[in-house]
Amino acid sequence: FIVIVLIVAGPRAQDGRLLLNINYTVASPSGSFKDFIDESSWRGWTANLLYGITPKFSVGLGLGFHDFYQKFPRAVYTLQEGGEISAVITNSLQTIPVMASVQYNFMPEAVVQPYVGAGVGGNFIIYNQYLGGFANSRSDFGFAVRPEAGVYIPIGKRDFGININGVYNYMPYSKAGFDNINSWGIGAGVRFSLR
């Protein structure tokens, strides 16, 4: 998709900037993911490398990382295989989305520049559950979509500025007892031009 847009729009491109957005993000589980971990993750980041097709429209690649973790107090749990165990449960899940990204800046010359964006791609998932001293671990790869909206505030040369956004991470995942691992989040960081 990105290659087609670059080929078609390239001759008309007036922008040609290569921009890098790097954000610190906080994410909160939503939907059935909250049954596994209901605490927000304060350990996350996103990065988007974007090529400006026009002053308003950019395409590129987006990456991210979130580390969700929660420890539950000792209780008696029923095992799937039958029987019960008294233990402390620790749930840990990391997501690493890799996505094709698009971004549309509504007012590229304004002091505060609102924008919307989206990413579509895949998601590396690392899942660990510790039931006392027993571990249940798996790694998978799944589909991911990330719509976002935010503002960019330029404060210096080379398109350097502050970026603030809100995102929703749609990640269907029907393994290990999950229906999904969706989350919503907010982020703040910087944007600057690489050329």
Side-chain angles (χ1 to χ4, degrees), residues 124-189:
F124 293 99
I125 302 152
I126 303 163
Y127 159 81
N128 293 287
Q129 183 176 61
Y130 302 95
L131 184 60
F134 302 98
N136 179 16
S137 302
R138 68 181 298 149
S139 298
D140 290 300
F141 186 80
F143 177 72
V145 176
R146 181 179 63 208
E148 71 173 295
V151 293
Y152 165 67
I153 304 166
I155 57 172
K157 296 180 180 179
R158 293 186 54 84
D159 294 307
F160 182 81
I162 297 170
N163 190 59
I164 302 167
N165 68 354
V167 299
Y168 184 75
N169 299 296
Y170 174 70
M171 300 178 184
Y173 183 70
S174 58
K175 298 176 183 175
F178 292 101
D179 291 328
N180 66 66
I181 51 173
N182 300 341
S183 64
W184 61 270
I186 55 172

Side-chain angles (χ1 to χ4, degrees), residues 5 7 19 27 32 40 45 66 71 79 97 110 113-115 118 124 126 128 135 142 145 147 155 167 173 181:
V5 170
I7 291 170
L19 304 170
S32 63
S40 296
W45 57 268
H66 268 101
K71 185 182 243 183
L79 302 175
Q113 301 174 15
Y115 70 88
F124 293 99
I126 303 163
N128 293 287
V145 176
I155 57 172
V167 299
Y173 183 70
I181 51 173

Side-chain angles (χ1 to χ4, degrees), residues 36-37 68-72 89-93 128-129:
F36 182 70
I37 295 175
F68 295 93
Y69 175 89
Q70 188 166 1
K71 185 182 243 183
F72 295 90
I89 284 188
T90 304
N91 292 331
S92 172
L93 188 133
N128 293 287
Q129 183 176 61

